[in-house]
Amino acid sequence: MKKSDTEKFKKLLEEELVLLEKELSGLGIKNPTNPSDWTPKMPEENISPADENEVADTIDDAQINNAIVNDLEVRYNNIKKALQKIEEGNYGKCEINNHPIDEKRLEANPSARTCKEHMNEDLQ
Ligand SMILES: [Zn+2]
């Protein structure tokens, strides 16, 4: 990949990282000992325990919040990884077979870790 293209993706990734960090800090608490781990905040505890419907709503909210935080966390960590790869000069290569990732795919998702062929593989 050309240096100018790498710079372009780096900028996109950095912008997305800032947005994700903002979203995450509204929904979760960063783990002080592990910066790639976020704990979802519990919803406001301003309900009276006597009202079972509200208790149920709060539990639903907590589960939804949890799912959102997990999803954002995965995206956040993928972006961090992509930025690290840029630093190492490995950006834009499939993590499975080392093939170059299609630039269109990177434009749609600058933190893509695999080529199209391996886009459904589970990665650690
Ligand atoms: Zn591949």
Side-chain angles (χ1 to χ4, degrees), residues 37-55:
D37 185 40
W38 297 73
T39 307
K41 282 180 194 167
M42 289 303 286
E44 300 290 316
E45 286 177 43
N46 56 358
I47 48 154
S48 73
D51 189 333
E52 278 180 28
N53 284 334
E54 284 196 24
V55 172

Side-chain angles (χ1 to χ4, degrees), residues 104-121:
K104 285 218 171 63
R105 177 158 158 71
L106 287 172
E107 267 160 25
N109 176 15
S111 59
R113 297 168 62 188
T114 54
C115 67
K116 247 187 208 155
E117 197 187 327
H118 297 114
M119 65 190 291
N120 295 319
E121 303 270 339

Side-chain angles (χ1 to χ4, degrees), residues 75-117:
R75 285 164 57 195
Y76 181 86
N77 289 328
N78 280 346
I79 291 171
K80 282 268 201 187
K81 260 185 212 126
L83 285 167
Q84 197 189 332
K85 282 191 228 165
I86 289 175
E87 293 304 315
E88 293 165 353
N90 291 325
Y91 180 69
K93 286 184 193 146
C94 173
E95 287 185 19
I96 292 179
N97 61 359
N98 231 19
H99 284 177
I101 301 172
D102 194 59
E103 223 159 291
K104 285 218 171 63
R105 177 158 158 71
L106 287 172
E107 267 160 25
N109 176 15
S111 59
R113 297 168 62 188
T114 54
C115 67
K116 247 187 208 155
E117 197 187 327

Side-chain angles (χ1 to χ4, degrees), residues 53-66:
N53 284 334
E54 284 196 24
V55 172
D57 279 352
T58 305
I59 292 168
D60 281 351
D61 284 352
Q63 280 170 345
I64 293 165
N65 193 5
N66 205 352

Side-chain angles (χ1 to χ4, degrees), residues 13-51:
L13 287 161
E14 281 171 344
E15 282 168 7
E16 203 177 338
L17 194 70
V18 170
L19 288 177
L20 280 173
E21 183 133 21
K22 224 181 255 173
E23 265 187 86
L24 272 165
S25 57
L27 293 165
I29 301 156
K30 203 178 208 170
N31 182 340
T33 57
N34 177 3
S36 63
D37 185 40
W38 297 73
T39 307
K41 282 180 194 167
M42 289 303 286
E44 300 290 316
E45 286 177 43
N46 56 358
I47 48 154
S48 73
D51 189 333

